[in-house]
Amino acid sequence: MKPICPAPDDPTRRGAEAARPRRTLADLPGPRGLPLIGNLHELHPDRWHLEFERWWRAFGDMFVVRMGRRPILVVVEGELVRDVLQRRPAVFRRIRTIEDVSREADMVGLFSADGEAWRKQRQLINPTFHARHVESFFPSIREITGRLRDLWARAADEGEARDVLGDLMRYSVDVTSSVAFGRDLNTLDRGPDALQEHLQRVFLGLNRRMLAPLPYWRYLGLPADRAYDRALVAVKRLILDLVAAARRELEGGADRPARPRTLLELMIVARDGDDPKAHLSDAEVYANVLTMLLAGEDTTANTLAWILYYLGSRPDVQARAREEADRAVGGALVPTLEQSKRLEYTSAVTHETLRLRSAAPLLYLEANHDTAVGDVAVPAGAGVVALTRAIGRKPEYFGDPESFRPERWLAGVPSTLPHEPRMALAFGSGPRICPGRSMALLECAVTVGMVLRSFTVHLADHTAPVRERMAFAMQPEGLRVRFVKRACA
Ligand code: HEM
């Protein structure tokens, strides 16, 4: 594979930082909007990312939209976005409502914390995502992938078209809960578990509140919000019990595990040097277990669903990936760790899918103090939206950007088209880049390898449009897949 990771001290960044502000937000173009509400009414509840991208095509790489009276600077220039993402947590932060809503839920974890609190958590949690830990989770990931295969094999026998996103959500709930706290919910076989139902309510509630223009829930007790509060209490009790049990076990006598086996246990034992204060409290461990479930589930499930969409709509891509899987995986039904790592073309398919259908197509930030983005002065508190998916669709970074061309990611394949992997921002960039990316990529490799070995993938209805829908992550709405068993499966 061509390298993906950005260099932290990239010299081109300095150029972006060095520019002196010559313009203000008021000088920038943007949609007109209405008094008081600004452009809020133009944002479709399920497809606001498309509206932002439409405005980009109309107004260019820097423009201003208004959420109520609040101006938001939207940036689609790759170097400037990388620069903004790099200048965290000092100059920019995630938009403040994310932390406020999380604080109300007692779950300020790695995603929502900011400033020094974030720095401490990131330092302690980063090592838990080290390759050797992620690989130690592989046996449970592989076992759950085997269950997904059985489910789709039964569907193939019955000629049934599957709502693959629903299946993949349950798959990633099972994987993430098993990796996070060693509990195999097996929602793939048993259907929704009580914990999963509570989690679903919590995620929907958090999402609704983080994106709400006003904190209406502080004044109104809507039924959905009461259900959210109840679910939160149940989830908190359950996870804190798991934290206490894991702590007892880790501190226990001869029976204690030789080494931590789950993210939860890794977080409990995480220490920074000899500093007795440099560890995570129970409240922080709870917040981060919930964060992992939240951050890891929908994103991975939707990425996998989009990969199936491309395999189904591009038989040429599927044939090439299948040929590689047959070579690398041999007779196994689910690839081993070593085999998963050999799936180079499949990995290229994943990166191309992430470029075009990133689960998080935009990032919401805020300036901590007066600063500048390029030559534009940005006052403290102004919102900054980074259109990361749009950056991956710019012809100066990725030639022929609207085409699905996995081979652009293969090392040693000569091409005259521009190819700037540092502008592939599906996992973000800078100090807050997604720490779960290698785990997500491993899950994608083993799942897609399994599918290619056992089935051919067909879109159930080629004429039915598959549309992008923004929920917690960007989903393929209307995707149904028919699996046909291969002779060798
Ligand atoms: C294909 C799957 C995934 C995608 C597309 C994705 C994408 C992202 C993005 C865009 C961010 C924000 C990065 C930034 O602000 O620069 C992020 C942050 C994060 N992700 Fe992921 N993610 C995925 C899977 C996972 C998994 C599997 C986990 C953990 C089990 C995870 C845990 C996190 C956490 C904890 C953060 C917050 C990091 C911080 O603010 O320091 N993600 N992810």
Side-chain angles (χ1 to χ4, degrees), residues 6-21:
D9 61 346
D10 189 334
T12 50
R13 213 172 58 72
R14 279 176 230 136
E17 264 173 22
R20 290 276 158 268

Side-chain angles (χ1 to χ4, degrees), residues 450-464:
M450 171 279 281
V451 167
L452 292 164
R453 279 297 296 132
S454 291
F455 310 105
T456 50
V457 177
H458 302 267
L459 299 186
D461 181 355
H462 272 278
T463 57

